């Protein structure tokens, strides 16, 4: 049995969690939009064609912001195609993913879906094949009240009130050779700066996310150069990172969050360097607007130029859920700088929610990774405590000194509640866990619940036929003893311990 301990103190905090850290992402890709959120022929479809079964699952996740419409897709997108009468909308070859885009759904529909889901929209503009002109037109279409060309076009299209989209991404992954209209850091920094000026002159209330690197391995010079051009005009810099276990080396896979942690620290350091060089008073915040496990579907075939084929449909295992749990805790532990994050993506495409097309049965279900996200979104909104952790470590192929315990504590002062999230990374041993809360003033402690998710089979998955193979249970043994919480964290397990202080 391993042992670990955590010491918490109310005076030692990381910061307040911005709820948008629990954001997600829907791209026009595969079956994310069509047959995912939108399927007029589905038995649960509402009057606008949105699947209510999917909306119910999205609401369970509690997603405050959803990035849209891409992703790689946005770098060739003409936003006007997805507005106005549906029978007049063009079908286009979509070059990012090699399919046909029907444009049945665009910003007109998506903003309405987002309202139903209880989310706001994080809108990306095309800085690949287009530029500042089309970007500022889109801001005018979405946010201007009336009396100008694009605002009146929106009203003609049936939307009297502006959409009021506050958060905008200045393109997507512009450093990637795979991106339509990819750019050097200088080229991108200049166009992003000019687009930012026009967009903010159109609506000064918006906030802007400039593209950082497409992966932790690519970061460095890109951020420094891009921020050199844009620092005064943008509010966030983006980070993207995906993790996988193609070599079936679970010990290394479970250490993925160490890479995410390093990536965040590095981008903070670069942003602070530019802040210093510019003698700026503004702190640049981070938008980790694409993150997840993604590798199961690499190389899966699909029919070129078809409409909404099965693409990027990773079927997530139990061990993937453990990794997602550690990634979520890493984001929370950087809540002083990471203000937004998007689990990429939300439905069908590398997603916590899966659906069948109506003609194939029409079922919807939660993948394994759904649950740690749901738990953190429900219980992770509060003050992250700067915990002192003591636990043994192991060396993996990709990282040395990996702590067996990954944990994060969130304090809800008003509710007098502390929620502890924890993953025991050991593949062999359970862990005796002690959390010292004596600094909270000798309050009487009680455990509200100790949720666990574990499985003997690391590769266990949820499917339409067996949607509950991997689900959490309220069966943990956490209990209060004096000013401490004592619990056993099973080998390779996800845990949520909710503590009340009376
Ligand atoms: O989320 C899938 C893809 O991953 C996105 O389109 C792109 O931005 C990233 O490379």
């Amino acid at each position: 049995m391993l042992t670990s301990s955590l010491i918490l103190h109310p005076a030692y905090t990381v910061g307040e969690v911005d709820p948008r850290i629990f954001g997600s992402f829907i791209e026009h890709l595969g079956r994310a939009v069509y047959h995912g959120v939108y399927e007029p022929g589905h038995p649960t479809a509402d009057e606008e064609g949105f699947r209510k079964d999917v909306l119910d699952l999205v609401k369970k996740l509690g997603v405050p912001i959803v990035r849209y419409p891409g992703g790689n897709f946005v770098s060739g997108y003409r936003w006007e195609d997805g507005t106005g009468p549906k029978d007049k909308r063009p079908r286009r070859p979509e070059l990012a993913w090699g399919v046909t885009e029907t444009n049945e759904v665009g910003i007109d529909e998506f903003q309405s879906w987002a309202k139903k889901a209880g989310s706001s929209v994080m809108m990306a503009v095309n800085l690949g094949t287009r530029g500042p002109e089309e970007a500022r037109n889109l801001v005018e279409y979405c946010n201007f009240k009336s009396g100008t060309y694009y605002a009146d076009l929106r009203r003609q299209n049936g939307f009297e009130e502006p959409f009021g989209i506050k958060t905008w991404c200045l393109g997507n992954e512009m450093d990637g050779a795979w991106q339509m209209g990819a750019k050097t850091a200088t080229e991108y920094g200049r166009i992003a700066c000019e687009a930012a000026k026009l967009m903010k002159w159109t609506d000064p209330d918006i906030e802007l996310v400039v593209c950082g690197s497409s992966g932790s391995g690519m970061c460095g010079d890109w951020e420094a150069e891009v921020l050199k051009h844009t620092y005064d005009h943008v509010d966030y810099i983006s980070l993207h990172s995906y993790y996988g276990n193609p070599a079936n080396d679970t010990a290394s896979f479970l250490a993925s969050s160490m890479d995410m942690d390093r990536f965040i620290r590095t981008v903070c350091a670069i942003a602070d360097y530019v802040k210093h060089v510019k003698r700026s008073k503004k702190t640049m915040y981070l938008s980790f607007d694409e993150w997840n496990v993604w590798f199961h579907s690499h190389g899966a075939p699909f029919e070129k130029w078809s409409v909404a084929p099965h693409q990027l449909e990773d079927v997530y295992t139990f061990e993937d859920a453990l990794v997602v749990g550690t990634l979520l805790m890493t984001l929370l532990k950087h809540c002083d700088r990471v203000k937004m994050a998007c689990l990429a993506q939300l439905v069908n495409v590398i997603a916590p929610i899966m659906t069948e097309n109506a003609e194939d049965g029409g079922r919807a279900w939660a993948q394994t990774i759904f649950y740690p996200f749901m738990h953190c979104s429900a219980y992770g909104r509060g003050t992250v405590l700067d915990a002192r952790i003591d636990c043994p470590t192991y060396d993996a192929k990709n990282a040395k000194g990996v702590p067996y315990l990954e944990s994060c504590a969130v304090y809800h002062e008003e509710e007098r509640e502390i929620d502890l999230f924890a993953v025991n990374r050991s593949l062999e041993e359970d862990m005796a866990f002690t959390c010292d809360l004596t600094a909270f003033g000798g309050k009487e402690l009680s455990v509200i619940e100790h949720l666990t998710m574990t499985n003997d089979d690391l590769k266990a998955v949820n499917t339409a036929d067996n949607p509950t193979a991997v689900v959490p249970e309220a069966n943990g043994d956490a209990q209060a003893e004096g000013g401490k919480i004592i619990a056993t964290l099973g080998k390779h397990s996800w845990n949520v311990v909710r503590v009340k202080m009376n």
Side-chain angles (χ1 to χ4, degrees):
M1 172 92 88
L2 301 169
T3 56
S4 67
S5 66
L6 207 65
I7 304 177
L8 301 174
H9 192 294
Y12 301 148
T13 63
V14 178
E16 286 298 304
V17 174
D18 185 324
R20 296 175 303 169
I21 218 167
F22 304 113
S24 190
F25 175 31
I26 290 186
E27 177 167 3
H28 281 251
L29 160 55
R31 300 187 308 125
V33 174
Y34 309 113
H35 303 291
V37 299
Y38 177 81
E39 191 170 34
H42 190 272
T44 71
D46 67 11
E47 65 296 345
E48 291 182 283
F50 298 129
R51 283 181 64 155
K52 285 195 195 137
D53 56 345
V54 172
L55 271 169
D56 288 344
L57 285 164
V58 172
K59 284 183 200 158
K60 277 193 191 166
L61 286 178
V63 180
I65 193 162
V66 183
R67 187 162 173 258
Y68 176 83
N72 296 341
F73 169 83
V74 80
S75 294
Y77 185 48
R78 295 168 222 194
W79 65 264
E80 304 87 339
D81 289 351
T83 61
K86 290 201 182 197
D87 58 352
K88 301 236 162 35
R89 296 186 188 177
R91 290 165 71 95
R92 304 254 190 215
E94 200 291 282
L95 303 187
W97 301 103
V99 297
T100 298
E101 172 58 51
T102 64
N103 285 305
E104 274 173 83
V105 170
I107 187 57
D108 285 357
E109 291 75 26
F110 191 74
Q111 58 80 33
S112 175
W113 179 84
K115 278 190 195 121
K116 290 179 178 177
S119 309
S120 58
V121 177
M122 179 195 280
M123 187 76 193
V125 300
N126 174 358
L127 293 187
T129 61
R130 300 184 116 189
E133 168 69 7
E134 295 84 356
R136 66 114 170 214
N137 293 344
L138 179 55
V139 175
E140 182 189 325
Y141 183 86
C142 293
N143 289 2
F144 234 67
K145 188 145 180 59
S146 62
T148 62
Y149 178 79
Y150 284 106
D152 288 343
L153 188 62
R154 182 199 67 238
R155 293 169 64 225
Q156 273 167 38
N157 289 340
F159 302 94
E160 184 59 35
E161 290 307 314
F163 299 153
I165 297 176
K166 190 172 166 62
T167 310
W168 296 75
C169 300
L170 293 163
N172 176 70
E173 297 192 348
M174 301 306 301
D175 60 335
W178 58 88
Q179 203 69 208
M180 285 178 266
K183 295 181 173 39
T184 66
T186 311
E187 288 166 347
Y188 173 65
R190 284 296 305 125
I191 198 172
C193 171
E194 294 307 317
K197 280 160 51 185
L198 270 58
M199 291 166 77
K200 281 199 173 174
W201 288 344
T202 307
D203 180 354
D205 292 333
I206 61 173
E207 50 183 19
L208 297 175
V209 185
V210 75
C211 289
S213 300
S214 305
S216 58
M218 295 166 80
C219 102
D221 293 346
W222 175 271
E223 280 80 0
E225 177 69 9
V226 166
L227 285 176
K228 197 173 99 191
H229 293 283
T230 58
Y231 201 92
D232 296 336
H233 301 279
V234 303
D235 307 283
Y236 308 88
I237 184 159
S238 74
L239 298 83
H240 291 181
S241 203
Y242 292 98
Y243 299 96
N245 189 11
N248 198 19
D249 171 4
T250 300
S252 292
F253 185 40
L254 288 174
S256 301
S257 63
M258 295 183 76
D259 178 80
M260 179 189 249
D261 178 71
R262 200 168 36 243
F263 189 16
I264 292 170
R265 288 177 198 279
T266 306
V267 174
C268 287
I270 298 169
D272 291 347
Y273 157 75
V274 179
K275 176 182 182 178
H276 171 74
V277 169
K278 288 190 169 284
R279 304 293 188 261
S280 174
K281 295 210 171 356
K282 178 168 92 179
T283 296
M284 188 61 55
Y285 291 109
L286 275 48
S287 171
F288 214 122
D289 47 41
E290 286 190 34
W291 68 271
N292 202 351
V293 170
W294 173 19
F295 73 108
H296 297 286
S297 62
H298 286 340
F302 68 96
E303 194 190 332
K304 193 98 170 151
W305 309 125
S306 57
V307 175
H310 293 261
Q311 283 178 304
L312 279 58
E313 296 196 2
D314 278 43
V315 175
Y316 287 114
T317 62
F318 165 63
E319 71 178 17
D320 296 333
L322 294 180
V323 171
V324 163
T326 60
L327 296 173
L328 280 160
M329 286 188 270
T330 304
L331 292 168
L332 284 169
K333 286 192 280 188
H334 285 288
C335 70
D336 54 332
R337 289 303 283 271
V338 179
K339 298 295 171 188
M340 297 188 284
C342 302
L343 174 68
Q345 299 191 13
L346 188 53
V347 185
N348 287 331
V349 171
I350 45 175
I353 297 167
M354 291 296 285
T355 73
E356 288 173 327
N357 295 357
E359 69 264 26
D360 298 330
R363 293 174 288 183
W365 65 100
Q367 296 228 58
T368 59
I369 63 169
F370 184 96
Y371 296 103
F373 189 96
M374 180 181 82
H375 289 155
C376 288
S377 178
Y379 306 125
R381 301 172 190 219
T383 307
V384 174
L385 297 170
D386 190 3
R388 289 293 162 270
I389 301 174
D390 187 26
C391 73
T393 61
Y394 67 95
D395 290 341
K397 285 205 184 101
N398 63 344
K400 299 258 177 279
V402 184
Y404 277 110
L405 173 68
E406 185 69 51
S407 69
C408 177
V410 181
Y411 182 33
H412 312 276
E413 194 173 1
E414 262 180 41
E415 293 83 6
R416 307 291 304 152
E417 184 173 326
I418 289 187
D419 293 322
L420 305 165
F421 306 109
V423 164
N424 175 3
R425 288 190 173 97
S426 174
L427 300 175
E428 280 96 34
E429 290 183 72
D430 294 348
M431 181 184 283
F433 168 83
T434 307
C435 177
D436 188 333
L437 294 168
T438 47
F440 283 80
K443 302 276 187 258
E444 199 180 310
L445 304 178
S446 58
V447 173
I448 304 166
E449 60 182 349
H450 176 180
L451 303 166
T452 76
M453 198 162 86
T454 190
N455 203 291
D456 290 339
D457 179 5
L458 291 167
K459 310 296 179 191
V461 297
N462 292 340
T463 61
D465 288 335
N466 191 5
T468 55
V470 186
V471 290
E473 289 178 78
N475 62 358
D477 68 359
Q479 49 181 302
E481 270 184 38
K484 294 182 178 168
I485 299 297
I486 314 284
T488 311
L489 309 180
K491 64 179 182 184
H492 52 73
S493 65
W494 163 253
N495 300 264
V496 183
V497 180
R498 302 183 53 221
V499 179
K500 194 88 186 164
M501 294 182 289
N502 298 308

